[in-house]
Amino acid sequence: MGRPRTFDDNEVIDRAMETFWTHGYAETSPSMLVEATGVAKGSLYNAFGSKRALFDRALARYDRMGAESVERLLSGPGTTHEVFRAFLRGLVDADLANERRGCLNVNTTVELAHHDPAIARAMLRAQERTLGVIAARIDRGRRDGDVDPDLDVQATTDLLGAVISGLRVLIRIHDATRLHRVIDAALTCL
């Protein structure tokens, strides 16, 4: 019989998520996970099975947190343009204040999706969930009268999704002024 766990799974997943987010999957070593979580390597593997299984759990947690955040931020008051401008600027400003790490999902897509079909599917599901929230907010704007009723919701949603992903990559090399200009230009579609 094994010893009882002395750690909270969610806390370990959160700490692992932060480590993967900062360093990427390939650059995160088991010893880094041990240091970040405070859990011995054997206990980590007994609890989560493998580095990959822990990474998958971290991605799922990040995705849930991100989906909740996007829904909350895009459901706020204001016109569609105002809400998206605040949302996108908030992403940029938060990334600039947070070590310019970008987005764990975007980083993972760039690092792993081209050679890992399971990751590609997970990242596509995460993106589709976000795009669904974006489309719903644009559609709400059409109903509220602050977005052209003839606007192609799907094309605009895809454009804004691409802008979000691009911003999350470009945050690593550009300043806020330039990224805010990109946001303002992109939002002319609304």
Side-chain angles (χ1 to χ4, degrees):
M1 184 162 111
R3 296 188 328 217
R5 285 193 190 171
T6 58
F7 57 86
D8 175 78
D9 282 7
N10 288 328
E11 187 175 312
V12 170
I13 292 167
D14 283 346
R15 290 179 181 174
M17 179 183 70
E18 292 293 329
T19 305
F20 288 124
W21 192 359
T22 300
H23 302 285
Y25 179 75
E27 294 298 318
T28 297
S29 68
S31 62
M32 292 167 77
L33 291 169
V34 166
E35 183 178 336
T37 64
V39 178
K41 184 177 176 182
S43 295
L44 269 178
Y45 284 94
N46 284 337
F48 299 101
S50 66
K51 173 184 164 182
R52 174 58 184 263
L54 180 56
F55 181 64
D56 290 342
R57 297 268 305 266
L59 283 176
R61 180 145 175 84
Y62 182 87
D63 184 37
R64 279 191 309 278
M65 291 168 45
E68 291 168 4
S69 176
V70 170
E71 284 186 41
R72 185 182 69 256
L73 293 169
L74 292 183
S75 67
T79 67
T80 303
H81 187 275
E82 291 166 347
V83 167
F84 274 104
R85 186 171 192 266
F87 169 63
L88 295 173
R89 282 184 172 232
L91 289 178
V92 164
D93 295 344
D95 279 354
L96 285 171
N98 198 14
E99 303 175 34
R100 294 180 181 249
R101 294 188 298 179
C103 168
L104 178 58
N105 284 348
V106 171
N107 297 347
T108 299
T109 299
V110 170
E111 180 184 6
L112 301 173
H114 67 285
H115 62 79
D116 187 323
I119 288 290
R121 286 188 301 274
M123 296 301 93
L124 185 58
R125 280 191 306 272
Q127 183 187 42
E128 291 299 324
R129 197 169 12 264
T130 298
L131 293 176
V133 175
I134 291 170
R137 183 59 181 94
I138 293 169
D139 198 46
R140 176 180 151 195
R142 289 185 346 159
R143 288 190 313 276
D144 291 349
D146 64 60
V147 171
D148 181 348
D150 295 325
L151 181 76
D152 184 334
V153 174
Q154 189 60 55
T156 305
T157 297
D158 290 341
L159 171 65
L160 291 176
V163 168
I164 291 167
S165 294
L167 288 169
R168 304 310 288 271
V169 172
L170 294 176
I171 193 69
R172 294 174 182 250
I173 58 173
H174 292 295
D175 63 11
T177 301
R178 187 167 190 176
L179 296 171
H180 288 175
R181 270 198 322 264
V182 169
I183 291 166
D184 292 341
L187 291 179
T188 61
C189 70
L190 294 175

